[in-house]
Amino acid sequence: MGEMAKPELESTDIGNKLEDLSGVEIKPGDNPYNALINACHGNAAKIQSLYAAHRIARNLQQKEKFLSHEFKELIIDPFLLRLENPKLEPGFKDPRNCLVFWARPPDHIIRLVVHLQQALKQAAPNLWLMPTHRMHMTTLEIAHSRSPAEIESMVALMRPKLASLTNMPFTKRARLVKPFISYDLSALAVSFLPAAGEAVLSPPPVAPHPKYINHPGLLGNDTAESDTYTYHHLRRDVFDEAKSTGVEIGSRYVVPSAHITLGRYLTQTDHEMPEQRQKWVQAIDDLNKWLEGEVWDVQDGEYVGEWIVGQERGLDARNGALWYGGGRTIMVGEGF
């Protein structure tokens, strides 16, 4: 008999689909980000409310799964497992090549995220943590799970527009607030909401900075006015600009979420017993209460929970095997 072929590895997305829980219906063929904006009549407070509804509903859904008597196991990422433990399959390389536009968190958000990671690591010592230099928020995914040759042809198609795409946040400022830990059976993240008139907490732009470019709340503008352009609007505009190059956009999902992955599970060890899962869920709930009480809307606090996309650097156009923060930068836009 011939040697049996190795079974194909499955992404955690297969068994853990990130579904849109906001209630907004997306019509095929349309810019998917317009659906939520239109449903909210472009109102920032309503957009923020739908983002909040999505993450609260998802956390409640996942909490039930962790605490259910029918809980079987966590969803371990087989690709990451092999990358982190080379003995499992010597020479393994992630075959899933992608093309994305990332927003990179500024230093004050990194500080907050590291604090959250350390607290989560205490509750689950075997948790895999995303390295800080690899942290990102996906503004737009163009393609995933493709060959290098396929990605190369897409990059060639998009190259004339890469500068305008990566520099977009320099003139189109979108503010994110109210960090909150979101989680499921495979990973956890810190998620943000589009701002809707909250007081500005971020450090000012690094000088020199053009006076004619708006910075929400810091150059004499009213935040209620400047926040009418939300992160969802930015995602819509990046989508339209990318599509204008003729490239086919194949995002895995389009949900009202602005999140940075904090970590993933690589073993069942910390969550095998019901009391361990209860402790884990409680630890996340406690951290979210701390965020709401000590970080949200707190002026001059130890941690800043606001992020104006484009702070320190513009969007990062990247390709390669970048599922866990890897790959390479094709171009990064100007920061402020």
Side-chain angles (χ1 to χ4, degrees), residues 66-67 71 74 123-126 268-283:
F66 269 94
L67 301 181
F71 177 92
L74 298 171
N126 293 288
Q268 307 289 343
T269 307
D270 299 325
H271 302 86
E272 288 176 312
M273 307 301 292
E275 54 269 27
Q276 288 178 303
R277 297 193 293 277
Q278 178 67 57
K279 179 187 167 191
W280 176 241
V281 167
Q282 189 61 52

Side-chain angles (χ1 to χ4, degrees), residues 281-327:
V281 167
Q282 189 61 52
I284 293 172
D285 284 348
D286 289 346
L287 275 172
N288 278 334
K289 284 176 189 166
W290 174 80
L291 283 166
E292 190 168 353
E294 302 296 326
V295 178
W296 292 14
D297 306 319
V298 175
Q299 197 81 42
D300 301 321
E302 185 179 359
Y303 295 98
V304 177
E306 175 193 272
W307 173 6
I308 303 172
V309 178
Q311 284 173 308
E312 298 178 12
R313 62 188 63 79
L315 295 182
D316 190 348
R318 283 177 84 82
N319 68 357
L322 46 77
W323 222 271
Y324 314 107

Side-chain angles (χ1 to χ4, degrees), residues 150-186:
E150 288 174 306
I151 295 297
E152 184 181 28
S153 66
M154 292 179 185
V155 172
L157 204 57
M158 298 192 73
R159 197 170 293 281
K161 291 284 183 81
L162 285 180
S164 61
L165 279 159
T166 55
N167 283 308
M168 199 174 287
F170 194 78
T171 52
K172 294 185 172 185
R173 301 288 165 84
R175 201 161 62 106
L176 295 167
V177 296
K178 296 179 168 58
F180 179 88
I181 295 174
S182 300
Y183 67 108
D184 58 28
L185 293 177
S186 66

